[in-house]
Amino acid sequence: MIFVTNNPHKLQEVGAMLGGKMALKSLRDIGCTDDIPETANTLEGNALMKARYIHERYGGDCFADDTGLEVAALDGRPGVYSARYAGPGHDSEANMQKLLAEMEGKSDRRAQFRTVIALIKEGREYLFEGIVTGHIMEEREEGEGFGYDPIFCPDGYEHSFARLGDEVKNRISHRARAVEKLVEFLKTHNS
Ligand code: IMP
């Protein structure tokens, strides 16, 4: 199964969740260095766009994910634009700084990470969604992870995803929940 990603953190996270039940190949593993377009304006659209791109060129089964951080007080922003919130590129530092600045003085700090996985299996398309609710912290907390992890605190915890660490994050995260649904589906639809 091809996982349409170049992000080693994600490959590691999802691989750990699958617990060795399925061998995953990354874009690097299949020798794809293309800059795959992600120009849709929804997470669903982007996940499908990436999965279709690889399926059309490489064949076989594959899945792609797209994630956004949706902040209530910002009408769901940065959402589908989370990776390039502070401008082109994938600069997590700049993205977090922009978000913290926009949240200054806001009492409603509710936010959620939402992941959509698009699977193409035997030519058919399926979508799976995972959500984790929480809030944007006033100050960053360093640790593991990537992206907005240092400023997102999931509900039921008092620390950021970064500080909680991969072990906790991999159990409760948006991606974990979407991957759980994917794995459940694959278990019952394995040919
Ligand atoms: P992607 O669609 O998974 O590439 O995610 C888009 C952007 O959302 C990333 O560039 C990160 O800024 C952010 N993001 C996605 N997943 C996570 C996560 O698990 N923790 C923190 N930030 C994330």
Side-chain angles (χ1 to χ4, degrees):
M1 176 78 66
I2 302 168
F3 181 9
V4 184
T5 187
N6 273 318
N7 183 329
H9 288 284
K10 281 199 207 169
L11 197 67
Q12 193 273 329
E13 269 187 20
V14 176
M17 281 177 233
L18 285 169
K21 286 194 195 80
M22 188 184 297
L24 287 185
K25 287 183 185 171
S26 68
L27 289 174
R28 192 173 156 186
D29 295 330
I30 61 168
C32 175
T33 53
D34 301 0
D35 195 8
I36 303 174
E38 293 184 49
T39 50
N41 55 11
T42 60
L43 299 175
E44 287 79 1
N46 272 345
L48 277 170
M49 194 178 265
K50 290 189 274 188
R52 286 175 186 153
Y53 185 97
I54 292 303
H55 181 69
E56 280 160 18
R57 286 160 184 80
Y58 294 84
D61 297 341
C62 67
F63 66 91
D65 73 330
D66 204 42
T67 295
L69 175 61
E70 301 174 334
V71 181
L74 302 178
D75 300 323
R77 278 181 287 126
V80 71
Y81 305 108
S82 293
R84 49 188 189 278
Y85 194 39
H90 294 71
D91 186 343
S92 296
E93 283 309 310
N95 289 339
M96 276 191 288
Q97 270 171 28
K98 178 171 176 181
L99 186 59
L100 285 177
E102 286 195 312
M103 291 302 287
E104 239 174 71
K106 294 216 188 325
S107 54
D108 178 3
R109 304 187 71 88
R110 287 172 303 136
Q112 65 178 27
F113 273 116
R114 191 163 75 89
T115 292
V116 173
I117 293 178
L119 166 72
I120 302 184
K121 185 166 164 48
E122 286 148 20
R124 290 208 188 132
E125 296 178 346
Y126 306 88
L127 291 174
F128 306 92
E129 183 189 64
I131 290 176
V132 60
T133 56
H135 69 272
I136 303 299
M137 302 182 83
E138 299 277 349
E139 282 175 20
R140 47 190 300 157
E141 277 186 344
E142 299 308 330
E144 300 172 40
F146 68 102
Y148 297 88
D149 279 348
I151 60 170
F152 180 83
C153 174
D155 286 341
Y157 294 83
E158 287 175 8
H159 292 291
S160 69
F161 260 159
R163 177 101 166 258
L164 290 169
D166 288 347
E167 201 258 317
V168 174
K169 184 181 170 191
N170 287 352
R171 261 190 288 122
I172 65 165
S173 80
H174 42 302
R175 202 156 21 255
R177 289 176 178 161
V179 171
E180 267 164 29
K181 291 182 188 170
L182 170 74
V183 171
E184 205 43 49
F185 176 87
L186 291 174
K187 274 191 202 152
T188 49
H189 293 77
N190 231 344
S191 51

